[in-house]
Amino acid sequence: MKRQSIKKILVANRGEIAVRVIRACREMGITAVAVFSEADRAALHVRMADEAVAIGPAPSRDSYLRQEKILAAAQELRCDAIHPGYGFLAENPEFAEKVQQAGLIFIGPDARAMRLMGDKTSARQCMLAAGIPVVPGTENALADEAEAKRVAAATGYPVMLKAAAGGGGKGMRLVKSANEVASAFRAAVSEAKSAFGDGRVYIEKYIGSPRHIEFQILADHHGHVIHLGERECSIQRRHQKVIEEAPASVLDAELRQTMGETAVRAAQACDYRNAGTIEFMFDKNRQFYFLEMNTRLQVEHPVTEMITGLDLVKQQIRIASGEKLALTQEEVQFRGHAVECRIYAEDPANNFLPSTGTLSFLSPAAGPGVRDDSGFLTGNEISIYYDPLISKLVTWGSDREEAIVRMRRALSEYRVHGVATSIPFCEIVMRHPRFLAGDFDTHFIDDEFMNVENTALTPEGTDSSAARVAAIAAAIFHHAKGSKSKPGAQKSDSGDKSAWKLLGRRRALR
Ligand code: MV4
C-alpha cells in the first residue's frame, strides 16, 4: 500500500473520544475538524477542534449518525480522513465503504473485516478455521426450534442463545434445561429481529463465572501484527464496563504470551488492519475462549497506553496513512499498572439511573500518575440524548497497589456538581476486599451490590427490588459521611465480605 499523507481529519464523534482524537491530531500537526449537533454547540470537542461543522438536531439519528452529512462536511472542508471514534458509525461497514468511495481514508479496518467480525457466527467460523479456541457451540445459525433442541442437548446444559447480529450482550438468553429451549428460541429470534433486523441465533455452551479479558492488537498494511497486552474488563454492570485495568492480575507471563499470540493469530485470520480488540472469556479452569472481536478503538484504550507508553490514536492514524508499524512485538514494553474508572452521569443510589442537568462545577483530579479524559467543561449540559459518560479517570502506578491507591486519591479529589455520578460507587469498589484481592468475575457487581442472583442473566429490564436500591443508597450515604472523616482514623477491616458494612469505617489510603 502506498503512503498517503493525512493532513486534515474529520472527527465523526463527540464527547471524550472526540477530544481524545483531536489531541492526537494536535500533537501530529494534523488539522482537526469537529462535527456537532445542536445540543453540542458549546461542547469541549468543538472548542478544541480547528474547525467545526453543525450537522443537525440533538438526536443522534439526526446528527452523529447522518452519514451523508458527515461525508459532505469532510469533502467540503477538504479532509483527508475520517476518524469515527467508538459507537455511532465506528463499526458500520456501509459507512466505511462510503468514506472510501468518497476518496477519503477511514481510520479503522475495512468494511470486509467489519462485516466478518460483526456477524458473530462468521467470526466464530473464521476463528475456528484458524485453530483459535472458541466457546463450544454451533458454527451456523439455528434453522428452527428442533435444531436448537438437538444442539443444546449435544452441547450440554446450560447453554446460551445469542443473536448472530448481536454482541456486547444484546439479545442473549440463558437456557438451563430442555423444557426452556423452545420458548427461549422464539423469544431470542423475535428480539434479534426487532433489535437488529436479523433474527438469526446460535448456541454456545454457557461459561459460568467468566472473566472478560481482551487483547489490544495493531495491524499495519504490510503484514505486521502485534499485540499490546491485555485489559481486564470484568467489572461491569448490564454489559456496560465500569472499571478496567491493565495488566490482568490473573494472568501469568506464560498465559499472557499464549493469549497474546492467539490474539495476533485471530487478527491475521481475518486479515485485519488498524487497531482492534480480541475479547476472550477466561473461566475458572483458566481456559480462554474467543468471544468477539471489536473492530474499533475502545473506550478503555487508555489503560493500555499507560502501561505501554504508546499513543493508540497516533498508531491508528499512522497505520491508516500506510506507514509500517514502528515497533516489533519484542519492542513492546510493559511497565507498571493502570486502572480506569468510568465517571458516568448516573446515580448509583438510585439504581444507576441516568442523571441529567448542567455541570455547574467540574473540577477533575490531577497530580502524579493521573489522567482524566473528559468530554466536558463547567457549564456544559448532560442531556438525555447521548451516552452518560462524563469522563474516564485513569491512574498509573508502579504496581497494582499504587495504581489503586492513586485512584482512591484521584476519586476523592474529583468534583462534579449538577448531576449525580458513579464516583462514590467507584470509591467503594476501590476499597472492596474482593477487588483488592483480584478475586472477581463478570458477576462481581451483581453479586456484591445488587444482592440478587445473576441479574446479568435475567432478561433486560428486570427491575430491582426496593430493598436493593435502598441498600446501595445507604452504602453511598455512609460512604459520603465517612469521606469527611480523617483518613487513617479507623483500622482496616478483615474478614467482612459485605461492601456496605465496610463503608462507615473509613480506612487509610495506605
Ligand atoms: C457468554 C457468557 C457465558 N457463556 N457466553 C456478555 C457480553 C457478550 N459479549 C457476551 N457475554 C457473555 N457471553 C457464554 N457462552 C457470559 C457473558 C457475559 C459477559 C461477558 C463478558 C463481560 C461481561 C459479561 C457479563 C455477563 C455475561
Side-chain angles (χ1 to χ4, degrees):
M1 166 164 172
K2 73 170 200 300
R3 285 201 46 183
Q4 279 174 280
S5 85
I6 295 178
K7 297 197 186 73
K8 190 168 183 177
I9 294 176
L10 181 141
V11 184
N13 216 302
R14 65 180 301 282
E16 68 85 18
I17 196 62
V19 170
R20 171 70 191 85
V21 174
I22 293 166
R23 285 182 167 140
C25 291
R26 178 87 4 104
E27 289 183 23
M28 294 174 84
I30 294 170
T31 304
V33 177
V35 293
F36 64 97
S37 71
E38 279 165 21
D40 280 340
R41 210 158 269 283
L44 181 58
H45 76 284
V46 176
R47 296 212 189 179
M48 285 184 62
D50 298 292
E51 297 167 44
V53 188
I55 50 167
S60 308
R61 63 172 179 282
D62 299 324
S63 48
Y64 298 104
L65 291 172
R66 288 285 293 271
Q67 304 187 23
E68 308 303 334
K69 273 217 165 143
I70 291 167
L71 279 166
Q75 290 185 302
E76 195 167 306
L77 292 178
R78 305 188 152 279
C79 296
D80 304 303
I82 296 184
H83 195 301
Y86 54 70
F88 295 133
L89 300 168
E91 290 175 284
N92 183 318
E94 286 78 42
F95 182 64
E97 242 156 31
K98 282 183 208 161
V99 172
Q100 214 177 10
Q101 281 155 12
L104 300 167
I105 296 171
F106 180 83
I107 302 173
D110 58 24
R112 176 204 53 82
M114 257 185 224
R115 284 203 179 92
L116 189 64
M117 294 298 111
D119 178 333
K120 304 308 162 193
T121 58
S122 63
R124 280 169 59 81
Q125 285 166 22
C126 173
M127 297 309 158
L128 217 50
I132 310 288
V134 302
V135 186
T138 40
E139 272 185 60
N140 291 299
L142 300 159
D144 49 30
E145 281 172 40
E147 191 188 1
K149 268 202 172 130
R150 266 199 317 277
V151 175
T155 309
Y157 292 98
V159 298
M160 294 281 258
L161 283 175
K162 296 187 176 186
K170 274 178 270 169
M172 291 188 340
R173 270 211 154 55
L174 173 65
V175 185
K176 290 185 184 141
S177 63
N179 58 14
E180 294 175 13
V181 180
S183 68
F185 178 79
R186 284 193 298 271
V189 168
S190 92
E191 214 172 283
K193 260 189 199 145
S194 66
F196 312 111
D198 177 350
R200 291 175 306 132
V201 299
Y202 66 101
I203 280 184
E204 278 181 8
K205 174 128 192 85
Y206 175 65
I207 309 289
S209 300
R211 287 179 183 249
H212 172 132
I213 297 178
E214 58 184 32
F215 275 73
Q216 177 69 53
I217 64 98
L218 290 177
D220 68 15
H221 291 270
H222 305 274
H224 306 300
V225 187
I226 60 172
H227 74 82
L228 304 182
E230 80 282 5
R231 296 182 285 261
E232 156 66 77
C233 304
S234 299
I235 311 280
Q236 53 80 48
R237 188 185 158 272
R238 295 193 172 191
H239 309 301
Q240 181 176 266
K241 292 165 190 160
V242 180
I243 292 159
E244 304 96 341
E245 59 181 306
S249 35
V250 272
L251 298 191
D252 53 31
E254 189 187 336
L255 203 47
R256 176 167 300 114
Q257 184 175 341
T258 306
M259 290 176 77
E261 285 167 5
T262 305
V264 166
R265 281 197 290 123
Q268 286 165 336
C270 61
D271 208 10
Y272 194 82
R273 301 290 140 74
N274 216 282
T277 299
I278 310 292
E279 291 185 0
F280 292 111
M281 281 197 293
F282 184 83
D283 73 10
K284 285 252 182 301
N285 305 319
R286 304 181 67 78
Q287 297 293 307
F288 64 90
Y289 305 93
F290 170 83
L291 187 58
E292 347 187 314
M293 178 169 194
N294 298 316
T295 58
R296 60 166 189 277
L297 181 71
Q298 293 204 233
V299 178
E300 59 272 24
H301 77 275
V303 294
T304 299
E305 297 187 319
M306 298 289 262
I307 64 158
T308 61
L310 295 168
D311 182 318
L312 287 180
V313 179
K314 284 186 188 171
Q315 294 291 330
Q316 286 192 293
I317 295 169
R318 292 195 187 116
I319 290 169
S321 67
E323 284 182 38
K324 285 184 180 153
L325 281 177
L327 75 176
T328 63
Q329 188 64 59
E330 291 67 42
E331 287 165 342
V332 177
Q333 286 189 23
F334 300 99
R335 189 158 166 259
H337 199 98
V339 177
E340 170 175 289
C341 286
R342 296 195 189 183
I343 299 180
Y344 288 112
E346 288 179 350
D347 188 356
N350 196 4
N351 203 28
F352 296 89
L353 209 73
S355 175
T356 56
T358 302
L359 293 168
S360 54
F361 183 69
L362 184 62
S363 178
V370 176
R371 166 175 171 179
D372 178 61
D373 276 25
S374 167
F376 297 91
L377 293 163
T378 291
N380 284 167
E381 200 78 25
I382 303 287
S383 69
I384 52 157
Y385 296 107
Y386 314 110
D387 191 277
L389 185 67
I390 299 173
S391 166
K392 300 178 318 202
L393 181 60
V394 188
T395 58
W396 181 90
S398 55
D399 56 19
R400 186 170 189 262
E401 175 104 22
E402 188 180 36
I404 292 171
V405 170
R406 274 194 170 143
M407 182 58 79
R408 291 185 200 148
R409 188 266 292 169
L411 288 164
S412 76
E413 284 179 16
Y414 218 110
R415 291 288 178 275
V416 182
H417 294 183
V419 297
T421 75
S422 53
I423 291 172
F425 181 76
C426 292
E427 293 190 286
I428 293 167
V429 176
M430 289 300 129
R431 289 176 173 78
H432 196 288
R434 281 188 58 201
F435 178 76
L436 300 182
D439 168 28
F440 53 82
D441 57 44
T442 53
H443 303 304
F444 175 79
I445 292 181
D446 290 332
D447 290 349
E448 298 296 329
F449 298 95
M450 298 302 159
N451 211 4
V452 90
E453 25 74 73
N454 263 344
T455 39
L457 302 169
T458 59
E460 292 293 322
T462 301
D463 224 301
S464 55
S465 64
R468 185 203 303 170
V469 173
I472 298 186
I476 286 165
F477 177 72
H478 284 297
H479 192 248
K481 282 209 330 195
S483 69
K484 293 204 177 70
S485 69
K486 265 210 206 110
Q490 305 273 340
K491 266 189 65 187
S492 88
D493 307 84
S494 59
D496 187 344
K497 281 197 59 195
S498 143
W500 36 91
K501 280 185 195 150
L502 295 170
L503 301 168
R505 314 171 218 163
R506 177 81 175 185
R507 281 161 298 154
L509 289 172
R510 246 183 298 188

